[in-house]
Amino acid sequence: MKNMGGMLLTTTPFSEIVMGNTALVRAMVEAGTRVVTSYPGSPTPEIAIAIQSIPADRRPFYFEFSTNEKVAAEVAFGASINGHLATVFFKSVGLNVAADTFVQFSLMHCLGGLVVVLGDDPGANSSQNEQDNRHYARMSYTPVLEPANPTEVYEYYLEAANLARTTAKAIILRLTTHVCHAKERVAFRGWNPPAAYDDRPRFDPGLGSYIPITARVFAPKREALAALGRVERWVDERGLHRVIGNGGERGLITSGMVALSAQEVLAEVPETLEKPAILKLAMPYPLPVRAIAEFLAARREVKILEELDDNLEKEIKALAYDQGLATRIVGKGELDDWVGEYTPDKVRAILHRTWPDLVPAPRVAATAMPVPLRPAQMCPGCGHRSAFHAIKQALPADGAITVADIGCHTLGFQEPYRMGEVLLCMGASTGIGSGLALFNRSRPVVAFLGDSTFFHAGLPGIVNALFNRHNLTLVLMENGTTAMTGHQEHAASGRNANGPVDAIPVRRVLEGLGVRNIFEVDTYRQKELTELMRQALAQEGFSVVIARHPCMLLFTRNQRRKSGYQARHVHIDQATCARIHTCVQTFACPSFSRAADGSVSVNPELCIGDGSCIQTCPTGAIARDGQEGGTP
């Protein structure tokens, strides 16, 4: 197996099959990036995986997982105004967290250059919505480069870094899920590491207005608007916008991955028909006026093809009107055009609707056998499952209100647990729970929060609950890692991106804030957790239950790497089993399956032998392999 870290530091030109996220890191190395910050979130975690494959003492840049996206943006900005090329990356909704800081970047003189890498998520593959962050770009006057594949991720980051340095501005590199995770062979240039980096602090308050107060706001805004014009000309002169094909009277304007889908669909058009040319925009904002005007002027009809919102469509229609162009411009037509990823199948359907004489109707899929639904679920042995199973027994049957948060534990809203009936975003559960507790004497309110989210955005809600004396119980689901996005470190993990550090225990933070009612237990001790939950609910005011257990997926992976590891499993003692089905219906570990005759078996491919299920069986029919049934 190839060593990724060694590959990323290769000094001679080479080519390798890599995903877009990996190609990005090689570009960071070549560009001379000095500071990289992040908060983990799909589809960007593999960027950090690639970075961390380079030993910390050999990395040509500093890297950290920051507490949240806002802090990550601020650290990168601070490095940039001190003269260092800096990059911050996070997922689509992470920009919401960073927005208060981000919207100021275009007003500042970013001396070393600043690249903001966004992992947008059309299709909401791992996000709570499909938000189109091109709106943020326009609102904040921040240019956007949008690659379509791993090669362009590599090339466009180098362009973005160069442009950010030259203009001393922030530049967005907008990736989407398919671009992040697509793989192809990328030809990389050589890299000559300098003997020493010029790391002298160069911050100079005279370079720009770094204090955005009312009296100083207009000059930086004028400069931000002027910079957009310079960026537009730069990208135009670099030839990054491309016209694909000659076409005739018809054309397509698109960008990013959608351009690849369009090319795939148009490749099926018979040679006897004239295929529309494609204007592939490298930078959808600011709009390249000259390139688009020339493309429109040469055609009778142009289709705007873009995922999610109609950003390009509105601007191009306005441009055509202003320039008196008679070209018919076709944008989105149906509601579904605003929804989902523009895969080739979807693009084929849209283009057939637009030009039925040119693009044939989508192929009807062959009749397939029905496949049972496979809902997302917690891993075998997950401590959150034990927590939900135990906590549910402590709640009144006639109606507690439970509030979810972002994390693996979000899956508790599903059957059979039904824990977490409302969810907005990271860290919102305590604030929402506080609101639900107002004028509420009959239904206890329980909010859930993960330990990574506790540090990310959970603290303000907790402080608010204490300050305003809200009456609710918070269950802090502590598993020691940022599990949902790939087991990244956080402040209580005892490690950061560069090695071991002193942990910041969540209990000490809670005590420091003044939380008086704190209960703490390992989630595998289910009866004790049930009892502590009852005690917490009986408290007047704010109480916290720390429900702790290591992430078993991470724990098991680490165990398997050790010599002498032996897999463990549990089994069902069929003679003892009364077919009550608590293991399947109530505890609901995916390792259990129920046959048509009602018998229960254990799938050894899924079972990790943790034994958390043993205590859930009313008849003690579950036992570790080699042992008889457990105690009910």
Side-chain angles (χ1 to χ4, degrees), residues 158-170:
L158 294 174
E159 294 287 350
N162 194 6
L163 185 55
R165 278 173 164 152
T166 302
T167 60
K169 293 293 183 184

Side-chain angles (χ1 to χ4, degrees), residues 21 30 45 59 217 233 239 360 380 387-388 469 481 532 559 570 600:
N21 283 338
E30 290 186 25
R59 264 177 229 153
V217 74
R233 290 190 293 275
F388 289 135
R469 300 185 178 182
T481 186
L532 290 180
Q559 291 300 307
V570 301
V600 177

Side-chain angles (χ1 to χ4, degrees), residues 243-252 262-279 295 299 301 351 355 357-360:
V243 175
I244 303 167
N246 297 318
E249 293 187 320
R250 291 188 279 206
L252 282 171
Q263 287 178 261
E264 183 173 325
V265 171
L266 293 180
E268 302 170 5
V269 174
E271 293 297 328
T272 54
L273 299 176
E274 195 166 45
K275 300 178 185 180
I278 300 173
L279 173 57
F295 190 80
R299 285 160 184 86
E301 184 176 54
L351 292 183
W355 295 318
D357 61 314
L358 184 70
V359 178

Side-chain angles (χ1 to χ4, degrees), residues 435-448:
L436 285 164
L438 296 173
F439 310 112
N440 178 3
R441 291 287 181 182
S442 59
R443 299 181 68 186
V445 179
V446 178
F448 294 91

Side-chain angles (χ1 to χ4, degrees), residues 446-475:
V446 178
F448 294 91
L449 188 71
D451 48 350
S452 181
T453 308
F454 172 80
F455 292 103
H456 172 280
L459 290 170
I462 292 170
V463 171
N464 185 73
L466 289 166
F467 175 59
N468 289 298
R469 300 185 178 182
H470 291 299
N471 186 36
L472 78 152
T473 298
L474 173 67
V475 179

Side-chain angles (χ1 to χ4, degrees), residues 606-623:
L606 295 176
C607 180
I608 64 171
D610 59 282
S612 60
C613 54
I614 292 174
Q615 61 196 297
T616 68
C617 181
T619 62
I622 305 173

Side-chain angles (χ1 to χ4, degrees), residues 303 331-339 342 346 349-350 353:
K303 169 72 175 176
K332 295 181 183 292
E334 299 182 354
L335 287 179
D336 274 356
D337 291 354
W338 274 265
V339 177
Y342 273 39
K346 181 157 189 166
I350 292 171
R353 216 188 320 129

Side-chain angles (χ1 to χ4, degrees), residues 51 94 104-105 122 129 173 234 262 273 280 318 334 343 365 387 416 418 443 522 563 565 569:
I51 290 172
Q104 304 294 333
F105 286 168
N129 64 44
L173 185 67
W234 167 290
L273 299 176
K280 179 183 174 297
E334 299 182 354
T343 59
R418 299 182 67 181
R443 299 181 68 186
D522 189 293
S563 61
Y565 168 79
H569 305 101

